[in-house]
Amino acid sequence: MTTATDMKTVLNDASVTDFLDSRATDPQERADCDAIIDILQKVTGHPPKMWGDAIVGFDVYHYKYASGREADMCLLGFSPRKGKFSLYVLGDFEGKDDLLAKLGKHKVQGSCLHVKRLKDIDTDVLAEIARRSAEHTRGLYPNSGC
C-alpha cells in the first residue's frame, strides 16, 4: 500500500518565489507564472504552496483508491518545465473537450495540460477549465477538507 510518506509530491514549506525565480529566468516566463498563480488562486481561494520540489499547488484534497493507496494532493497546480508549462487542471468533468477546443494552442497528457506560453491560449477559458476541474474534484472527495 502506498502512503503519503512514500510520495515525493507532498506539501512542504519551500518558497514558491524562490522556486519560480530559479526556474523561470526569462522575464516573460516569470510573468506567465505570476498570471497562472493569479488564475489558480482566484479559482481555489487558496494561496500557492510548494508540493514536492517542482509543483506550485493550490488547496488540497485527500484521495483513497480501492487499492488502498491514499494521500493528499493539490487540487490544482502547475510547474514551469523546459519550454512549457505543465498545468495540473484537467479533471474528468463534463464539457472538458468543448473547453479545450476553445483554449488555443496546447497539448494534453493524462490530467496534465501543456502550454508553451500564455499568449497562445485564452486565459478566460483556462480559468473556466480550472474552475470546473476543481468543482469536479471537490465533488468526488467532499469530505477531504478542500
Coordinates of all heavy atoms in Angstrom, one line a residue, residues 39 43 89-90 93 95-104 106 113 121-132:
I39 N -4.7 33.3 -11.6 CA -5.8 32.5 -12.1 C -6.2 31.4 -11.1 O -7.3 31.3 -10.6 CB -5.6 31.9 -13.5 CG1 -5.5 33.0 -14.5 CG2 -6.7 30.9 -13.8 CD1 -5.0 32.6 -15.9
V43 N -9.5 30.9 -8.5 CA -10.3 29.7 -8.7 C -10.5 29.0 -7.3 O -11.6 28.6 -6.9 CB -9.8 28.8 -9.8 CG1 -10.5 27.4 -9.7 CG2 -10.0 29.4 -11.1
V89 N -4.7 20.7 -14.1 CA -6.0 21.3 -14.0 C -7.1 20.5 -14.8 O -8.2 21.0 -14.9 CB -6.0 22.7 -14.6 CG1 -5.1 23.6 -13.8 CG2 -5.6 22.8 -16.1
L90 N -6.8 19.3 -15.2 CA -7.8 18.6 -16.0 C -8.4 17.4 -15.3 O -8.1 16.3 -15.5 CB -7.1 18.1 -17.3 CG -6.7 19.1 -18.3 CD1 -6.1 18.5 -19.6 CD2 -7.9 19.9 -18.8
F93 N -14.3 16.3 -16.0 CA -15.6 17.0 -15.9 C -16.3 17.1 -17.3 O -15.7 17.0 -18.3 CB -15.4 18.4 -15.3 CG -14.5 19.3 -16.2 CD1 -15.0 20.1 -17.2 CD2 -13.2 19.4 -15.9 CE1 -14.2 20.9 -17.9 CE2 -12.3 20.2 -16.6 CZ -12.9 21.0 -17.6
G95 N -18.0 18.6 -20.4 CA -17.7 19.8 -21.2 C -16.2 20.1 -21.4 O -15.9 21.1 -22.0
K96 N -15.4 19.2 -20.9 CA -13.9 19.5 -21.0 C -13.5 19.6 -22.4 O -12.7 20.5 -22.7 CB -13.2 18.3 -20.2 CG -11.7 18.5 -20.3 CD -10.9 17.4 -19.5 CE -11.1 16.1 -20.1 NZ -10.2 15.1 -19.3
D97 N -13.9 18.7 -23.3 CA -13.4 18.7 -24.6 C -13.8 20.0 -25.4 O -13.1 20.5 -26.2 CB -13.9 17.5 -25.4 CG -13.3 16.2 -24.9 OD1 -12.2 16.2 -24.3 OD2 -13.9 15.1 -25.1
D98 N -15.0 20.4 -25.1 CA -15.5 21.7 -25.7 C -14.6 22.9 -25.3 O -14.3 23.7 -26.1 CB -17.0 22.0 -25.3 CG -17.9 21.0 -26.0 OD1 -17.6 20.4 -27.0 OD2 -19.0 20.8 -25.4
L99 N -14.3 22.9 -24.0 CA -13.4 24.0 -23.5 C -12.0 23.9 -24.1 O -11.4 24.9 -24.5 CB -13.4 24.0 -22.0 CG -14.6 24.5 -21.3 CD1 -14.6 24.2 -19.8 CD2 -14.8 26.0 -21.5
L100 N -11.5 22.7 -24.1 CA -10.2 22.5 -24.7 C -10.1 23.0 -26.2 O -9.1 23.5 -26.6 CB -9.7 21.1 -24.6 CG -9.3 20.6 -23.2 CD1 -9.1 19.1 -23.1 CD2 -8.1 21.4 -22.6
A101 N -11.2 22.8 -26.9 CA -11.3 23.2 -28.3 C -11.2 24.7 -28.4 O -10.8 25.2 -29.4 CB -12.6 22.6 -28.9
K102 N -11.6 25.4 -27.4 CA -11.6 26.9 -27.4 C -10.4 27.5 -26.8 O -10.2 28.7 -26.8 CB -12.8 27.4 -26.6 CG -14.2 27.0 -27.1 CD -15.3 27.5 -26.2 CE -16.6 27.0 -26.6 NZ -17.7 27.4 -25.7
L103 N -9.6 26.6 -26.1 CA -8.4 27.1 -25.3 C -7.3 27.8 -26.2 O -6.8 28.8 -25.8 CB -7.8 26.0 -24.5 CG -6.7 26.3 -23.6 CD1 -7.0 27.3 -22.6 CD2 -6.1 25.0 -23.0
G104 N -7.0 27.2 -27.3 CA -5.9 27.7 -28.1 C -4.8 26.6 -28.1 O -5.1 25.4 -27.9
H106 N -2.3 24.0 -27.3 CA -2.0 23.2 -26.1 C -1.8 21.7 -26.5 O -2.1 21.3 -27.6 CB -3.1 23.4 -25.1 CG -4.3 22.7 -25.5 ND1 -5.3 23.2 -26.4 CD2 -4.8 21.4 -25.2 CE1 -6.2 22.4 -26.6 NE2 -6.0 21.3 -25.9
L113 N -2.2 19.5 -18.6 CA -2.4 20.4 -19.8 C -1.0 21.1 -20.0 O -0.5 21.7 -19.1 CB -3.5 21.4 -19.5 CG -3.7 22.5 -20.5 CD1 -4.3 21.9 -21.8 CD2 -4.7 23.5 -19.9
I121 N -2.9 31.0 -25.6 CA -4.2 30.5 -25.1 C -5.1 31.6 -24.6 O -4.7 32.7 -24.4 CB -4.0 29.4 -24.0 CG1 -3.4 30.0 -22.7 CG2 -3.2 28.2 -24.5 CD1 -3.5 29.1 -21.5
D122 N -6.4 31.2 -24.5 CA -7.4 32.1 -23.9 C -7.4 31.9 -22.4 O -7.8 30.8 -21.9 CB -8.8 31.8 -24.5 CG -9.8 32.8 -24.1 OD1 -9.8 33.2 -22.9 OD2 -10.8 33.0 -24.9
T123 N -6.9 32.8 -21.6 CA -6.8 32.6 -20.2 C -8.1 32.6 -19.5 O -8.3 32.0 -18.4 CB -5.9 33.7 -19.5 OG1 -6.4 35.0 -19.8 CG2 -4.4 33.5 -20.0
D124 N -9.2 33.2 -20.1 CA -10.5 33.0 -19.5 C -11.0 31.6 -19.6 O -11.6 31.1 -18.7 CB -11.5 34.0 -20.2 CG -11.2 35.4 -19.9 OD1 -10.7 35.7 -18.8 OD2 -11.6 36.3 -20.7
V125 N -10.7 30.9 -20.7 CA -11.0 29.5 -20.9 C -10.2 28.7 -19.9 O -10.7 27.8 -19.3 CB -10.8 29.1 -22.4 CG1 -11.0 27.6 -22.5 CG2 -11.8 29.8 -23.3
L126 N -8.9 29.0 -19.8 CA -8.1 28.3 -18.8 C -8.7 28.4 -17.4 O -8.8 27.4 -16.7 CB -6.7 28.8 -18.8 CG -5.8 28.2 -17.7 CD1 -5.6 26.7 -17.9 CD2 -4.4 28.9 -17.7
A127 N -9.2 29.6 -17.0 CA -9.8 29.8 -15.7 C -11.0 28.9 -15.6 O -11.3 28.3 -14.5 CB -10.1 31.2 -15.5
E128 N -11.8 28.8 -16.6 CA -13.1 28.0 -16.6 C -12.7 26.5 -16.5 O -13.4 25.8 -15.8 CB -13.9 28.3 -17.8 CG -15.2 27.6 -17.8 CD -16.2 27.9 -16.7 OE1 -16.0 28.9 -15.9 OE2 -17.2 27.1 -16.5
I129 N -11.7 26.1 -17.2 CA -11.2 24.7 -17.1 C -10.8 24.4 -15.7 O -11.2 23.4 -15.1 CB -10.1 24.4 -18.1 CG1 -10.6 24.4 -19.5 CG2 -9.4 23.1 -17.7 CD1 -9.5 24.4 -20.6
A130 N -10.0 25.3 -15.1 CA -9.6 25.1 -13.7 C -10.8 25.1 -12.7 O -10.8 24.3 -11.8 CB -8.6 26.2 -13.3
R131 N -11.7 26.0 -12.9 CA -12.9 26.1 -12.0 C -13.7 24.8 -12.1 O -14.0 24.2 -11.1 CB -13.8 27.3 -12.4 CG -14.9 27.5 -11.4 CD -15.9 28.5 -12.0 NE -16.7 28.0 -13.1 CZ -17.7 27.1 -13.1 NH1 -18.0 26.5 -12.0 NH2 -18.3 26.7 -14.2
R132 N -14.0 24.3 -13.3 CA -14.8 23.1 -13.4 C -14.0 21.9 -12.9 O -14.6 21.0 -12.3 CB -15.2 22.9 -14.9 CG -16.2 23.9 -15.3 CD -16.9 23.4 -16.6 NE -17.6 24.5 -17.2 CZ -18.2 24.3 -18.4 NH1 -18.2 23.1 -19.0 NH2 -18.9 25.3 -18.9

